[in-house]
């Protein structure tokens, strides 16, 4: 069986160091807000290139906390509008609505699947306060059209960098392109913990301080609460694991790139729309291939056929946020490009531990369909 993502095998590739760092934390007797979290925050901010990094409980909380902090700082208020991709995972939307802000959906570019910067300006109103870009599937979403709108209307630019740790826009890492970025370290991510974990990166010191306090019950001094906060903290075990894995992230991303480019060159079946190839700039890549996503009108039949040939696949994502039951008041909205994408996408296996035989099997079966 070619597994879609063999997380056990990925973690085994870090042994015995992985088990050792976990044991060290357990033996230390200190499990929250300790030296491992501090070390990871410093290492990750240096990797991303930002001035500040705040470890939090998960990727959704990272985004929630950014908006909550902007509201506490008086830079946003309930009812303000945030432009956001219609084609994204629901967490991007939940972070906005959880703060009683209003998501304004923007259709994607049908080639990149990321937000279409040329469709932003027509949605601007006097209540628009920010844009959230999502680096979907691991591909940078930033471009000059987005930057021009941000500057023209003085908007906050928030990045959902959950899927793109390590990618670049020109010479700058994603996660350091806007005012703040949320990161996820869910086990299946390119940089994955052994449980939930997340972080916020920013160059805004006031924002970082506010987020750190809100995430710790609204407190920056024990038993003194200045905000109605949350409990969302990266724990010492996850930080220790991430410290170890971060050292190999670029190498693992490079392996993902090699697999994706092999697929692009060798899957020749005309029934499939393949994703864009990796773009390089001064040796830096715009895509770290968290997911390798093809499109086909016969998606469900193809998925069934691949499974019959011992190849696991997944669908990212079958239902767009505006058609989810959770957002029943938005179900009347229609976004044809987004809806077509969600009906046709299929994610093939890609991971740093795939064997050459597994990669070739995927190509062979895809070409025979």
């Amino acid at each position: 069986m070619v597994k879609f993502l063999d997380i056990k095998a990925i973690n085994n590739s870090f042994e015995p160091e992985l088990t050792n760092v976990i044991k060290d934390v357990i033996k230390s007797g200190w499990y929250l807000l300790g030296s491992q979290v501090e070390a990871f925050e410093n290492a990750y901010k240096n990797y991303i290139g930002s001035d500040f990094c705040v470890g939090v409980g998960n990727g959704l909380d990272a985004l929630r906390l950014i908006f909550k902090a902007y509201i506490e700082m008086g830079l946003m208020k309930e009812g303000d509008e945030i432009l956001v991709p219609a084609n994204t995972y629901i967490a991007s939307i939940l972070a906005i609505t959880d703060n009683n802000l209003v998501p304004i959906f923007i259709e994607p570019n049908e080639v990149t699947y990321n937000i279409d910067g040329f469709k932003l300006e027509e949605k601007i109103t006097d209540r628009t306060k920010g844009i959230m870009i999502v680096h979907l599937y691991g591909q940078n979403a930033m471009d000059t059209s987005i930057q021009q709108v941000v500057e023209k209307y003085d908007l906050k630019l928030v990045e959902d960098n959950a899927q793109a740790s390590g990618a670049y826009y020109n010479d700058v890492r994603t996660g350091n392109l806007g005012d703040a970025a949320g990161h996820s370290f869910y086990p299946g991510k390119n940089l994955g913990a052994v449980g939930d974990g997340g972080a916020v990166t920013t160059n805004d010191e006031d924002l970082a301080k506010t987020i750190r306090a809100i995430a710790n019950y609204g407190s920056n001094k024990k038993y003194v609460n200045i905000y109605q906060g949350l409990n969302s903290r990266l724990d010492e075990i996850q930080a220790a694991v991430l410290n170890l894995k971060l050292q190999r992230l670029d190498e693992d991303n490079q392996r993902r790139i090699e697999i994706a480019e092999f697929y692009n060159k060798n899957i020749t079946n005309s029934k499939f729309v393949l994703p864009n190839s990796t773009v390089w700039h001064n040796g830096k890549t715009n895509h770290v291939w968290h997911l390798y996503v093809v499109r086909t009108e016969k998606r469900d039949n193809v998925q069934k056929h691949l499974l019959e040939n011992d190849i696991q696949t997944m669908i990212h994502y079958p239902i767009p946020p505006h058609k989810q039951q959770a957002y029943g008041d938005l179900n009347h909205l229609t976004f044809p490009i987004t809806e077509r994408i969600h009906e046709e996408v299929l994610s093939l296996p890609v991971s740093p531990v795939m064997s050459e035989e597994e990669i070739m099997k995927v190509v062979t079966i895809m070409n025979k369909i």
Side-chain angles (χ1 to χ4, degrees):
M1 174 68 73
V2 180
K3 293 185 177 181
F4 176 73
L5 183 66
D6 193 341
I7 295 176
K8 181 178 179 181
I10 291 173
N11 285 336
N12 284 344
S13 73
F14 286 92
E15 293 292 5
E17 292 85 356
L18 184 64
T19 295
N20 289 338
V21 298
I22 292 172
K23 285 181 177 179
D24 288 345
V25 172
I26 294 171
K27 290 177 181 178
S28 75
W30 195 284
Y31 309 121
L32 285 169
L33 301 180
S35 61
Q36 293 292 338
V37 170
E38 183 179 2
F40 174 70
E41 289 178 344
N42 285 329
Y44 196 63
K45 76 178 183 183
N46 290 335
Y47 179 82
I48 294 296
S50 63
D51 292 336
F52 304 97
C53 174
V54 181
V56 298
N58 54 70
L60 172 56
D61 278 2
L63 295 171
R64 291 170 66 209
L65 285 159
I66 291 168
F67 291 115
K68 189 170 178 65
Y70 278 139
I71 291 172
E72 292 288 359
M73 295 166 69
L75 299 177
M76 293 182 184
K77 63 181 183 301
E78 293 185 5
D80 283 345
E81 297 173 348
I82 306 297
L83 308 187
V84 64
N87 181 44
T88 186
Y89 182 54
I90 197 170
S92 309
I93 315 304
L94 290 170
I96 296 169
T97 59
D98 186 65
N99 285 287
N100 293 317
L101 300 169
V102 180
I104 303 299
F105 294 103
I106 309 296
E107 284 271 55
N109 178 306
E110 199 163 359
V111 175
T112 67
Y113 307 128
N114 280 322
I115 194 167
D116 189 335
F118 293 103
K119 296 177 180 176
L120 292 170
E121 194 162 14
E122 64 191 52
K123 297 289 187 175
I124 301 284
T125 72
D126 57 2
R127 293 196 300 169
T128 307
K129 292 298 186 292
I131 300 172
M132 182 193 289
I133 60 173
V134 181
H135 305 298
L136 199 65
Y137 309 151
Q139 182 177 19
N140 162 62
M142 188 62 177
D143 62 27
T144 54
S145 65
I146 297 170
Q147 189 63 45
Q148 288 169 359
V149 172
V150 168
E151 293 173 358
K152 181 177 180 179
Y153 294 95
D154 192 24
L155 302 175
K156 293 297 183 185
L157 179 63
V158 176
E159 298 172 74
D160 182 341
N161 199 48
Q163 299 185 8
S165 293
Y168 280 90
Y169 172 56
N170 295 330
D171 292 321
V172 182
R173 297 259 195 202
T174 59
N176 194 31
L177 304 176
D179 296 282
H183 307 255
S184 170
F185 308 123
Y186 179 79
K189 295 297 195 294
N190 291 33
L191 179 61
V194 290
D196 273 324
V200 175
T201 54
T202 182
N203 295 315
D204 184 335
E205 184 175 10
D206 290 338
L207 179 66
K209 287 180 177 179
T210 304
I211 288 171
R212 193 176 294 281
I214 294 173
N216 187 35
Y217 297 98
S219 171
N220 54 21
K221 181 180 178 182
K222 197 173 180 70
Y223 302 132
V224 178
N225 304 82
I226 54 179
Y227 307 111
Q228 296 180 23
L230 310 172
N231 174 20
S232 182
R233 299 171 296 196
L234 184 67
D235 69 64
E236 288 284 284
I237 286 179
Q238 304 307 336
V241 169
L242 292 168
N243 269 321
L244 173 65
K245 289 188 171 185
L246 181 60
Q247 299 170 35
R248 211 179 77 190
L249 178 57
D250 286 341
E251 179 184 339
D252 286 349
N253 282 345
Q254 180 58 36
R255 179 58 176 158
R256 288 175 175 271
I257 292 167
E258 292 169 359
I259 294 168
E261 292 303 322
F262 187 85
Y263 284 165
N264 275 357
K265 291 176 182 177
N266 292 281
I267 296 175
T268 57
N269 193 329
S270 61
K271 296 181 179 67
F272 298 102
V273 177
L274 303 185
N276 275 352
S277 291
T278 310
V279 175
W280 294 89
H281 177 83
N282 294 333
K284 297 167 181 175
T285 175
N286 77 321
H287 205 326
V288 292
W289 298 100
H290 172 60
L291 298 171
Y292 183 91
V293 180
V294 302
R295 286 171 60 191
T296 174
E297 294 178 359
K298 303 290 186 180
R299 190 259 310 281
D300 294 342
N301 289 341
V302 169
Q303 185 176 44
K304 181 174 181 290
H305 181 77
L306 288 169
L307 188 58
E308 289 170 350
N309 284 272
D310 295 327
I311 298 173
Q312 292 181 344
T313 60
M314 292 189 69
I315 300 171
H316 297 90
Y317 302 95
I319 306 172
H322 69 280
K323 294 298 184 183
Q324 295 282 0
Q325 182 177 344
Y327 289 108
D329 57 328
L330 303 177
N331 288 172
H332 67 284
L333 298 176
T334 300
F335 298 100
I337 298 174
T338 294
E339 289 158 25
R340 184 163 62 251
I341 288 170
H342 283 249
E343 290 170 357
E344 296 179 356
V345 290
L346 186 66
S347 301
L348 303 185
V350 58
S351 87
V353 297
M354 285 184 73
S355 69
E356 299 299 328
E357 292 77 13
E358 289 175 326
I359 298 164
M360 185 56 71
K361 180 173 182 177
V362 173
V363 169
T364 300
I365 300 302
M366 286 288 288
N367 284 337
K368 286 182 177 179
I369 293 176

